[in-house]
Amino acid sequence: MEIYQVKIPARFPLQAGCFPSNSKKTSTFLPRVAAFTTSSHSLTDKSESESQNRMFILGMGFVCQFFAQSLQKEGWVVTGTCTSKTKKKHLEEKGFHVHLLDANQPELSTLNALKCYTHLLVSIPPVGCAGDPMLQHEELLRSKLLDGNLQWLCYLSSTSVYGHCDGAWVDEDYPTSPTSELAKLRLDAEEGWLNLGQSLGFSTQVFRLGGIYGPGRRL
Ligand SMILES: NC(=O)c1ccc[n+]([C@@H]2O[C@H](COP(=O)([O-])OP(=O)(O)OC[C@H]3O[C@@H](n4cnc5c(N)ncnc54)[C@H](OP(=O)(O)O)[C@@H]3O)[C@@H](O)[C@H]2O)c1
């Protein structure tokens, strides 16, 4: 498992025709982008658009919205998914480009869009019995990610994969020993995403989150 680093200056070529129509550029980080950042800037400026970092987030939930905001401030184009029209509207008002997605029946148009992005972050949790809902469609997903612009894939997991540790310090080297069914599915999901990303040649990471709380969220 690799340690996560956001290397923002890295730029990747993008295929033409991949750009969401309502993307905003607000970069203060990428000098060349910042130089022409205005609300009137159009993504038809192909040379800049094609080199911009672009994050696609499967599941714009609590954690990913904060992350997405930070990326936007650094000049990234950020697109995400959610499951309801109400939330989609809310996220669009915050300046994100949003697709509706039911991971059990993902829209082909959404999957087709993935290959236009340089980075993919997966935040959709597994569910009992079915496991990771996106990985149910692994072969379809693989076919959509081939030959695209994706370089980096990250899966948000949980410290539940360690099971009960009797108060011991736990880090990435600590052996996993999930006890609950959901934690076992989480470990399977980690493995599934790692295999998928690595087999496609992407830099692939898993982050195991502990309990996160914050505005509007309690443990
Ligand atoms: N926050 C924590 O304390 C914590 C701790 C350990 C692990 N984690 C894990 O880290 C990840 C991010 O955490 P979070 O707190 O940001 O989670 P969250 O707020 O619950 O966000 C989960 C996202 O997944 C989407 N989603 C859920 N089921 C879906 C489905 N069947 N199809 C499509 N999308 C679906 C949700 O859509 P909607 O936006 O429409 O609801 C939401 O955007 C999750 O996997 C979570 O289990 C979180």
Side-chain angles (χ1 to χ4, degrees), residues 43-55:
L43 282 172
T44 54
D45 184 333
K46 194 174 159 196
S47 59
E48 289 295 339
S49 301
E50 287 189 358
S51 61
Q52 193 174 19
N53 281 315
R54 301 169 64 79
M55 175 71 72

Side-chain angles (χ1 to χ4, degrees), residues 149-162:
N149 293 283
L150 215 64
Q151 311 275 329
W152 182 96
L153 188 155
C154 176
Y155 176 69
L156 293 188
S157 181
S158 164
T159 51
S160 65
V161 297
Y162 295 113

Side-chain angles (χ1 to χ4, degrees), residues 154-215:
C154 176
Y155 176 69
L156 293 188
S157 181
S158 164
T159 51
S160 65
V161 297
Y162 295 113
H164 299 301
C165 305
D166 294 322
W169 283 102
V170 167
D171 64 14
E172 287 83 354
D173 298 324
Y174 198 90
T176 54
S177 181
T179 46
S180 71
E181 279 312 304
L182 208 51
K184 288 174 188 165
L185 294 173
R186 185 67 87 166
L187 195 58
D188 291 344
E190 282 188 4
E191 195 182 320
W193 285 106
L194 279 169
N195 286 341
L196 179 63
Q198 287 168 354
S199 67
L200 290 168
F202 306 150
S203 169
T204 309
Q205 281 88 24
V206 169
F207 287 160
R208 291 173 178 157
L209 306 187
I212 296 174
Y213 60 95

Side-chain angles (χ1 to χ4, degrees), residues 74-136:
E74 301 293 349
W76 290 56
V77 169
V78 182
T79 297
T81 70
C82 66
T83 58
S84 73
K85 284 184 181 166
T86 310
K87 183 159 182 188
K88 181 174 187 283
K89 187 166 175 284
H90 172 70
L91 291 171
E92 285 171 345
E93 283 165 2
K94 288 185 171 179
F96 301 117
H97 186 253
V98 186
H99 293 255
L100 279 178
L101 177 85
D102 173 359
N104 294 305
Q105 294 177 308
E107 289 277 340
L108 277 184
S109 58
T110 303
L111 297 182
N112 286 335
L114 290 177
K115 68 167 61 180
C116 300
Y117 290 78
T118 56
H119 295 65
L120 175 64
L121 177 61
V122 184
S123 154
I124 299 173
V127 286
C129 303
D132 187 296
M134 283 306 293
L135 287 175
Q136 293 178 99

Side-chain angles (χ1 to χ4, degrees), residues 62-64 66 209-219:
F62 183 74
V63 171
C64 288
F66 288 103
L209 306 187
I212 296 174
Y213 60 95
R217 177 67 70 97
R218 292 185 186 159
L219 283 176

